[in-house]
Amino acid sequence: MSKEEILALLKRSEGYLSGAEMSRQLGISRAAVWKAIDALRQEGYQIDSATNRGYCLRVSPDRLSEGEVRPYLTGRRIGRELRVFDTIDSTNSYLKREAANGLPDGTAALADCQTGGRGRLGRGFRSAPGEGVYLSVLLRPQVPPEEAVNLTAYVAVAVCDGIEAAAGVRPQIKWTNDLVLGGRKICGILTEMGIEGESGALQYLVTGIGVNANQRAEDWPEELREIAGSIREATGQPVARGRLAACLLNALDEMYERWQAGDRARYLERYRADCLTVGRAVRILTAGREERGLALAVDDRFGLVVRLEDGTERTVTSGEVSVRGLYGYL
């Protein structure tokens, strides 16, 4: 852990930081400081050293680690307990397994690579190393399960906020929870609940977010190249994944605090402004049945109001909604 703590100190420092000061702050020996500096250099960090001045971080590789994320965290709750993995099956699955062991509200799990990433409706989610940000957050709100059903919509707005803070561009939302940038999907969100069997009380929520950060066109399998995109492809610039992860967690922290306080109007308003589905022809798939129509609006509970081809209107609250014009239907 001292290596990541040393990295966090160097990132927070505006110039040189002495080995003695790092030793004092962390309660470790000068030799441990030196070993941590040497290990960071071997991982690609360019760290200058000067007699009587100490160490100064000059260049960082694009890594996902606690030391890369924690210096940018500003939230009160989400991310204070942070678990970072090089490889894991699924950050959602990990937090669901550990929820029974008393992990606190706001615990975040972050991975460079997932071997079993999951999306909605049981689909897989491509989570190759060195390219994206894959994170999940454990939430324990004291609310009935029905009040938490629409949390994913609030999360979608928060993720747009986080991406905008980190990369200067704001994605759009394809109802209900896919984020699109430059006409291609760059993010998926999956929220899962834990319900107590006898009482029906909400035990926890785990919301998982997968953001395509630095993929290039050649990184996608042929079948995904017309559908999947990344922040880098849309902007022409790579994004620092550690800072992106921190911006996502900060935005989620703000959203969660407002959501619990009942201050939710801003997120409904922003969702409606960001939603690209409204005003477009859509295809609705529910229980093996397909219907087509025109998306008219997002209602106050984030349902999608659709005028069907026969002229009737109904509000869609579940199922798969595809939008015409995004590479056929996306």
Side-chain angles (χ1 to χ4, degrees):
M1 179 58 68
S2 60
K3 180 182 67 174
E4 299 301 333
E5 292 170 332
I6 292 290
L7 176 58
L9 288 178
L10 290 172
K11 281 189 165 290
R12 292 191 188 105
S13 176
E14 296 182 357
Y16 281 86
L17 187 62
S18 72
E21 179 61 20
M22 287 189 279
S23 175
R24 184 192 67 79
Q25 289 192 38
L26 299 179
I28 60 177
S29 68
R30 292 285 298 277
V33 171
W34 183 87
K35 288 181 180 178
I37 294 290
D38 184 60
L40 290 169
R41 284 170 171 163
Q42 291 183 36
E43 291 179 359
Y45 290 91
Q46 294 183 23
I47 302 172
D48 290 347
S49 57
T51 304
N52 298 323
R53 298 182 69 187
Y55 302 95
C56 182
L57 178 63
R58 297 299 187 190
V59 177
S60 298
D62 184 34
R63 291 179 63 241
L64 276 180
S65 68
E66 185 163 355
E68 287 287 346
V69 176
R70 194 165 291 284
Y72 304 110
L73 291 179
T74 60
R76 298 180 182 180
R77 184 174 308 180
I78 291 180
R80 290 185 64 183
E81 180 70 25
L82 183 62
R83 309 285 177 90
V84 184
F85 304 91
D86 289 332
T87 302
I88 198 170
D89 56 346
S90 158
T91 54
N92 259 37
S93 296
Y94 169 78
L95 288 182
K96 288 170 63 180
R97 290 192 298 266
E98 295 298 314
N101 295 327
L103 282 183
D105 186 32
T107 298
L110 175 66
D112 181 60
C113 173
Q114 295 182 122
T115 59
R118 295 177 290 114
R120 290 181 66 242
L121 306 178
R123 298 190 181 108
F125 187 90
R126 187 177 185 275
S127 312
E131 297 178 348
V133 171
Y134 316 110
L135 66 85
S136 298
V137 175
L138 174 68
L139 305 176
R140 298 187 184 274
Q142 301 299 308
V143 299
E146 58 270 20
E147 190 174 335
V149 167
N150 296 321
L151 182 69
T152 297
Y154 295 89
V155 171
V157 175
V159 174
C160 288
D161 291 342
I163 291 173
E164 186 173 26
V169 291
R170 189 173 186 90
Q172 294 177 285
I173 301 169
K174 184 181 81 69
W175 191 91
T176 56
N177 58 352
D178 287 340
L179 302 192
V180 174
L181 193 60
R184 290 179 167 86
K185 178 179 174 179
I186 66 159
C187 175
I189 301 167
L190 174 66
T191 301
E192 300 177 280
M193 288 187 183
I195 305 293
E196 205 280 323
E198 293 186 3
S199 68
L202 178 65
Q203 292 183 311
Y204 64 82
L205 291 160
V206 172
T207 187
I209 299 153
V211 179
N212 300 332
N214 289 328
Q215 291 92 336
R216 295 165 294 187
E218 58 267 29
D219 295 325
W220 300 113
E222 188 66 34
E223 65 272 17
L224 294 180
R225 288 183 182 174
E226 293 299 311
I227 299 171
S230 71
I231 297 173
R232 180 175 185 167
E233 285 185 279
T235 65
Q237 298 292 330
V239 60
R241 292 183 299 144
R243 183 168 179 270
L244 172 61
C247 287
L248 293 171
L249 293 172
N250 293 340
L252 288 167
D253 185 85
E254 179 182 357
M255 179 278 297
Y256 188 44
E257 184 174 352
R258 291 190 180 206
W259 185 79
Q260 290 195 105
D263 180 16
R264 305 178 185 181
R266 181 259 182 193
Y267 289 88
L268 175 59
E269 178 183 349
R270 187 69 261 183
Y271 188 97
R272 286 169 167 161
D274 289 335
C275 185
L276 62 76
T277 308
V278 174
R280 293 177 181 252
V282 295
R283 183 176 62 184
I284 306 164
L285 303 175
T286 51
R289 179 185 177 192
E290 177 178 320
E291 297 176 287
R292 301 197 179 206
L294 178 69
L296 300 178
V298 173
D299 72 10
D300 290 349
R301 297 186 59 81
F302 297 96
L304 186 67
V305 181
V306 177
R307 181 186 297 126
L308 300 176
E309 289 181 328
D310 64 5
T312 62
E313 292 184 10
R314 74 179 181 93
T315 300
V316 181
T317 59
S318 63
E320 183 74 3
V321 174
S322 299
V323 179
R324 190 171 70 186
L326 292 178
Y327 298 96
Y329 274 95
L330 173 60

